[in-house]
Amino acid sequence: MSVTLPVFAIERHRLTTDGQGVTTLVGAYGCPLRCRYCLNPHAWNPSTLKVCKDMTPQQLYERVKIDNLYFLATGGGVTFGGGESLLHARFITSFRQICGRGWHLAAETSLHVPTQNLEQVLEVLDEFIVDIKDMDETVYETYTGQPQGILKENLRLLAASVSPDQVRIRIPRIPSYNTDDNVQRSVEQMKEMGFTELETFTYILPK
Ligand code: SF4
């Protein structure tokens, strides 16, 4: 039986925000976290989800291949987002088998997924864009509603398995939840683990 992806958004022609080159962002339903400032609550709250279509890897390929020439010319491709993209590791693996190695495949992830999901895509994805929230356990749990252990385990696995230039770590300053010192400590921990592509920024809250 073919695995399907519950897709709620397909956005074409994105530049630099979701991976290299021209990118198509594919948003899929489902997330184990409940971040207080989540910008995509419809990714985990079905009552706010207006459109969600289950697609097979072949159906998604047929839909996004219209940009094949852009992908090949710019080194771009498809970025899986959400929600939590790595909940759908089997789908991503099947999609790679269909699209081949020519497209750059990336995932936006919190890494808050079972370790076997990450293992499945280590050789399938070209880039991991990881929003770690904060490395302080109390801050993390207060902000996401979940304990942090699985994130640390998966960061260790990622650091040991792929090249540092395949991982972009995003470290947010989260108003009312962490401090500049927290952010700095998270940066230091990421450097100690061997990650080099680090991006700090401040969450901008909706008014
Ligand atoms: S990980 Fe992303 S989608 Fe999930 S709750 Fe947090 S901000 Fe929302």
Side-chain angles (χ1 to χ4, degrees):
M1 197 173 79
S2 180
V3 61
T4 58
L5 188 71
V7 176
F8 67 78
I10 296 177
E11 295 178 14
R12 296 170 60 202
H13 299 171
R14 294 171 69 95
L15 278 168
T16 69
T17 47
D18 312 297
Q20 67 177 48
V22 172
T23 298
T24 294
L25 177 66
V26 178
Y29 172 78
C31 185
L33 300 184
R34 294 294 179 265
C35 301
R36 300 295 184 255
Y37 301 143
C38 180
L39 289 177
N40 280 333
H42 44 279
W44 43 264
N45 182 356
S47 66
T48 63
L49 201 58
K50 292 190 182 113
V51 182
C52 185
K53 180 175 165 42
D54 285 329
M55 301 182 85
T56 65
Q58 188 68 43
Q59 286 171 329
L60 181 64
Y61 176 72
E62 297 299 331
R63 179 78 180 271
V64 300
K65 74 178 183 185
I66 188 173
D67 290 317
N68 179 45
L69 289 181
Y70 289 120
F71 296 162
L72 296 180
T74 65
V78 174
T79 294
F80 293 94
E84 173 48 63
S85 62
L86 297 192
L87 290 178
H88 310 287
R90 278 183 57 219
F91 181 96
I92 293 171
T93 304
S94 299
F95 185 82
R96 172 63 94 188
Q97 286 167 358
I98 292 169
C99 79
R101 293 301 314 190
W103 292 359
H104 183 90
L105 295 190
E108 293 177 342
T109 175
S110 68
L111 287 184
H112 197 99
V113 292
T115 295
Q116 57 265 35
N117 287 41
L118 178 59
E119 285 169 342
Q120 247 186 310
V121 295
L122 284 173
E123 293 183 5
V124 171
L125 290 169
D126 299 298
E127 185 177 9
F128 296 82
I129 303 165
V130 186
D131 186 343
I132 61 166
K133 318 304 177 189
D134 197 287
M135 292 308 289
D136 180 276
E137 289 180 13
T138 305
V139 170
Y140 186 94
E141 188 160 346
T142 306
Y143 180 66
T144 69
Q146 291 291 331
Q148 191 190 48
I150 198 166
L151 166 65
K152 285 187 173 165
E153 193 179 329
N154 284 337
L155 281 169
R156 280 192 288 269
L157 176 62
L158 198 57
S161 306
V162 303
S163 166
D165 61 12
Q166 288 179 261
V167 185
R168 200 192 318 168
I169 302 279
R170 307 186 79 222
I171 306 166
R173 168 81 165 83
I174 313 171
S176 305
Y177 286 89
N178 69 0
T179 63
D180 290 340
D181 284 348
N182 287 129
V183 171
Q184 199 47 43
R185 279 195 286 274
S186 295
V187 166
E188 294 307 321
Q189 284 190 50
M190 292 301 97
K191 286 182 181 170
E192 283 165 18
M193 293 181 84
F195 296 113
T196 54
E197 305 297 315
L198 310 180
E199 181 185 331
T200 58
F201 63 104
T202 301
Y203 281 160
I204 298 174
L205 306 183
K207 294 194 174 149

